[in-house]
Amino acid sequence: MDTLTITRYYIPAAGVAKKTLCHFSDVHLTAYDDLSTPEEKEKALQDTQGWMDTRRFFAEKYGCPTGEAQMADSRLQFSRLIALANTVDAAVMTGDVMNNVTPADIRATETGFAALTVPFVSVCGNHEQADKLPDGMLLSGMKQPVQVVDLGDLQLVGVDNSDRIITPEQLAEVEALLATGKPTVIALHVPMLTPDNYAAVYGCGEYFRMNDFDGCPPENDRFRTLVSAAPVVAVLSGHLHFQCVTEIANGVVQYGVSQGITGNVHLYTIGE
Ligand SMILES: [Fe+2]
Ligand SMILES: [Fe+2]
């Protein structure tokens, strides 16, 4: 686990018995295996090489290391992250676990999820479309527009915003979940704009944000207002491939974790 880049946070939450969440994102599995066709293997090898360059680009742009540990195969990074998650109380994955949703990517993801011994939520990223995912598997939970994992005195709510859209149905479902008053952690792929991330995120282009773009539905902004107040205790996001942690409003912080493909991970101790 000393190969991972772990950032720890403490999030006070009244009424929650202390528990620790493991949050990672953007592993971008480009897997192949014995069941892969020669064409699938060739494509996976090409994409693996492509992600060597892309992950290095992001890491160097944001002053992060690019040593042997950070450049390890995506499947090895995934297994390291799963092993760390198994040492805490629950895992949250905020999208782009798979790069292309190939049959081998699905098998590699399912193997990782099967190795998890703790409750978990995994939301779709823009590299994963819900309609491409099979039914009847552990990863099939990613097909749901809203997922809920109940940890007793804390609920994890995953929201699929992989196409940068919050639908009226998703908004209504999240509203109902928050109306219970239960302390809540929200998980999504594409981050929201906040007063303090505006400079860093807006300039990346609209692909990297879920607010303030042409055609942005009003539900997106209503969602941001909804999740930036109690009972939400934290919003977890991915997609940026760099670490970006800023307050949304009312003391609620959006924790954007950097790319899992180089071993970045957050651990949150939540509670009192
Ligand atoms: Fe990504
Ligand atoms: Fe993404």
Side-chain angles (χ1 to χ4, degrees):
M1 296 191 188
D2 53 2
T3 54
L4 297 173
T5 302
I6 303 171
T7 310
R8 291 179 170 82
Y9 299 92
Y10 173 57
I11 302 171
V16 178
K18 249 182 207 162
K19 47 184 66 64
T20 300
L21 307 184
C22 177
H23 169 212
F24 60 90
S25 198
D26 298 277
V27 178
H28 287 274
L29 288 168
T30 50
Y32 65 89
D33 57 24
D34 292 345
L35 297 176
S36 301
T37 65
E39 294 76 20
E40 287 171 346
K41 180 178 177 182
E42 179 59 29
K43 176 80 165 75
L45 289 170
Q46 283 175 7
D47 288 344
T48 298
Q49 186 55 49
W51 271 99
M52 287 293 175
D53 299 336
T54 304
R55 76 172 100 174
R56 186 186 297 280
F57 165 80
F58 279 107
E60 290 179 346
K61 181 173 180 181
Y62 295 99
C64 300
T66 55
E68 192 177 329
Q70 290 77 34
M71 301 303 284
D73 185 84
S74 58
R75 285 168 293 186
L76 178 55
Q77 301 289 26
F78 191 41
S79 66
R80 289 169 172 167
L81 293 161
I82 295 285
L84 177 66
N86 281 339
T87 67
V88 299
D89 297 298
V92 179
M93 290 163 271
T94 48
D96 289 356
V97 168
M98 294 175 270
N99 194 58
N100 289 323
V101 197
T102 64
D105 288 348
I106 289 172
R107 290 189 287 272
T109 300
E110 193 71 358
T111 298
F113 287 3
L116 276 168
T117 57
V118 295
F120 69 94
V121 62
S122 176
V123 297
C124 278
N126 54 301
H127 282 254
E128 297 141 332
Q129 293 79 41
D131 59 3
K132 280 192 181 177
L133 300 176
D135 294 315
M137 300 178 77
L138 294 170
L139 59 71
S140 304
M142 295 172 68
K143 294 166 74 80
Q144 297 173 247
V146 176
Q147 301 171 60
V148 185
V149 172
D150 191 343
L151 299 178
D153 53 11
L154 180 73
Q155 61 183 352
L156 311 180
V157 175
V159 179
D160 181 350
N161 77 339
S162 56
D163 56 3
R164 301 190 298 132
I165 300 289
I166 300 293
T167 66
E169 293 77 16
Q170 284 177 304
L171 186 65
E173 196 169 345
V174 174
E175 261 170 349
L177 288 164
L178 298 183
T180 64
K182 182 177 277 199
T184 301
V185 172
I186 300 284
L188 40 76
H189 184 60
V190 182
M192 297 178 284
L193 280 179
T194 73
D196 292 334
N197 76 10
Y198 197 91
V201 175
Y202 193 87
C204 295
E206 69 173 51
Y207 172 81
F208 286 102
R209 61 182 190 266
M210 64 163 280
N211 309 96
D212 200 357
F213 60 86
D214 283 347
C216 179
E219 287 80 7
N220 284 24
D221 291 331
R222 290 195 200 121
F223 176 83
R224 180 173 53 182
T225 301
L226 181 66
V227 302
S228 59
V232 173
V233 297
V235 175
L236 314 186
S237 62
H239 189 51
L240 292 177
H241 289 242
F242 64 89
Q243 189 176 39
C244 188
V245 177
T246 57
E247 182 181 350
I248 311 167
N250 307 307
V252 178
V253 172
Q254 175 175 256
Y255 297 85
V257 68
S258 186
Q259 51 188 354
I261 197 171
T262 56
N264 292 285
V265 56
H266 290 178
L267 294 179
Y268 311 97
T269 297
I270 301 178
E272 60 180 357

